Amino acid sequence: MFYQSTFPIIVVPQGAEYKAVCRGLNSKQNVIPIPVGGQAVSRYLQTCQDKLWNPQTKVLVMGLCGSLRDRLKVGDIVLYEECVYETKVQQCDRSFTAELYAHLQDKVSLVKGLTSDRVVCSAKEKLHLSEISKADVVDMEGFAALEFFHQAGVEVAMLRVVSDDSGHDIPDLTSAINSDGSLQALPLAISMIRQPIAATRLIKGSLQALKVLEEVTAFVFAR
């Protein structure tokens, strides 16, 4: 059992990622679904902060991410040390991160994350971003979540699973994401249909990563 007393709040993108984490816990208690995208995340967390946490709370951000490095494959578990957005950097809590790393040991890789305002869909762009940012993985919520919780004085760590590798394209799903961070079914379907090979790869990788996300949640929070 990793947590002897205080069970941290888990923050995870809504939808399939949220469901995978809940399956790993066999409960929805202390799991907060957030929207997709930095601005939507910031707005949402502002609306519910007084109800959910205080400076004594720990928060673990979980979910999926994309790889920017050849060494990180689909299904790999990563633990963020820091996350960058444009020229800004947010650090994860060192003590909390060290606790998780010691518990997970060889199951996890320490990484630098990059948060993007849109879906990074091409292998060429992934390579470019890895070179200019020196990041290992990319997501759409990490920086905003870290920034919010740091300002709230809350200890926060981030644990994710790679769902797409750096060497292949995935469909561009940016147009399917509403300003409120929800997914639109029809634009999502159209984006997938337009790139069937990339879509098949994304679906397969996501299913594999979601299974690992469920398993690592169960491992971390087993009682």
Side-chain angles (χ1 to χ4, degrees):
M1 181 175 70
F2 181 50
Y3 286 98
Q4 303 290 334
S5 54
T6 305
F7 190 92
I9 289 173
I10 301 172
V11 172
V12 58
Q14 61 196 4
E17 293 162 85
Y18 171 74
K19 292 176 182 177
V21 167
C22 290
R23 287 195 300 270
L25 293 171
N26 293 318
S27 168
K28 295 181 181 180
Q29 185 178 6
N30 291 341
V31 185
I32 309 301
I34 58 172
V36 176
Q39 292 184 0
V41 167
S42 296
R43 288 194 299 268
Y44 177 78
L45 292 176
Q46 288 286 350
T47 65
C48 56
Q49 60 178 329
D50 295 336
K51 304 173 186 176
L52 300 176
W53 45 74
N54 56 58
Q56 285 71 50
T57 308
K58 287 185 177 182
V59 171
L60 179 59
V61 180
M62 300 187 75
L64 305 182
C65 62
S67 172
L68 299 178
R69 303 284 183 186
D70 289 343
R71 65 181 177 86
L72 294 172
K73 306 299 184 184
V74 173
D76 284 354
I77 303 166
V78 296
L79 184 62
Y80 284 37
E81 294 183 288
E82 63 182 15
C83 192
V84 298
Y85 173 70
E86 296 178 344
T87 60
K88 298 179 286 187
V89 181
Q90 288 287 343
Q91 303 286 334
C92 293
D93 183 81
R94 290 185 180 182
S95 177
F96 189 11
T97 299
E99 274 186 89
L100 285 162
Y101 186 70
H103 183 65
L104 290 162
Q105 297 182 357
D106 59 353
K107 292 180 173 64
V108 70
S109 298
L110 291 170
V111 298
K112 176 180 180 179
L114 168 70
T115 293
S116 172
D117 290 323
R118 56 187 177 79
V119 177
V120 179
C121 54
S122 75
K124 183 177 179 179
E125 185 179 12
K126 292 175 187 179
L127 175 61
H128 175 66
L129 287 174
S130 72
E131 291 175 344
I132 63 172
S133 69
K134 307 304 180 186
D136 304 295
V137 295
V138 60
D139 63 59
M140 293 185 68
E141 312 84 20
F143 184 90
L146 288 176
E147 183 175 53
F148 174 84
F149 289 117
H150 283 164
Q151 291 173 352
V154 173
E155 292 182 31
V156 57
M158 194 173 316
L159 184 66
R160 291 181 179 265
V161 179
V162 174
S163 60
D164 58 278
D165 64 30
S166 63
H168 296 91
D169 295 349
I170 61 172
D172 187 354
L173 307 180
T174 303
S175 62
I177 303 173
N178 279 323
S179 60
D180 65 358
S182 62
L183 287 175
Q184 305 176 83
L186 183 57
L188 178 64
I190 292 171
S191 297
M192 301 289 265
I193 291 169
R194 284 175 175 166
Q195 296 176 275
I197 296 175
T200 300
R201 184 180 297 113
L202 175 63
I203 292 168
K204 183 179 178 181
S206 296
L207 290 173
Q208 180 181 342
L210 288 168
K211 181 62 177 173
V212 175
L213 182 62
E214 177 183 343
E215 291 170 350
V216 73
T217 303
F219 178 79
V220 171
F221 296 102
R223 292 184 179 272

